[in-house]
Amino acid sequence: MRITVFRSRMNDEFGEVRAELMASTHVFSALGGRTVDQAMEAGMDPKAIWRAVCEAFDVPPERR
């Protein structure tokens, strides 16, 4: 998954403002205690990050 696709899915699921805020402030244990932005900077796979977001926020399977 490309980063642009990841960001698009975040915006579609949560809205642009909430997605940006969540990416910079919400710490995910599944990402090793990192935020989305920190995980991206650390070089984690965007698909793995998206899975962690989906699990944490109960995104329905059809939108994962």
Side-chain angles (χ1 to χ4, degrees):
M1 172 185 292
R2 294 179 160 270
I3 293 172
T4 54
V5 172
F6 172 83
R7 295 291 183 185
S8 178
R9 287 187 182 185
M10 287 283 288
N11 290 342
D12 290 347
E13 188 63 34
F14 303 106
E16 189 173 339
V17 173
R18 184 171 179 218
E20 286 182 34
L21 183 63
M22 181 192 317
S24 65
T25 62
H26 187 89
V27 175
F28 293 84
S29 60
L31 300 177
R34 296 179 177 108
T35 65
V36 166
D37 290 342
Q38 291 168 334
M40 289 282 188
E41 289 173 16
M44 290 185 74
D45 178 26
K47 189 171 186 175
I49 297 170
W50 178 242
R51 279 191 220 119
V53 171
C54 289
E55 288 295 319
F57 288 94
D58 294 322
V59 174
E62 63 272 6
R63 295 197 306 261
R64 290 185 179 201

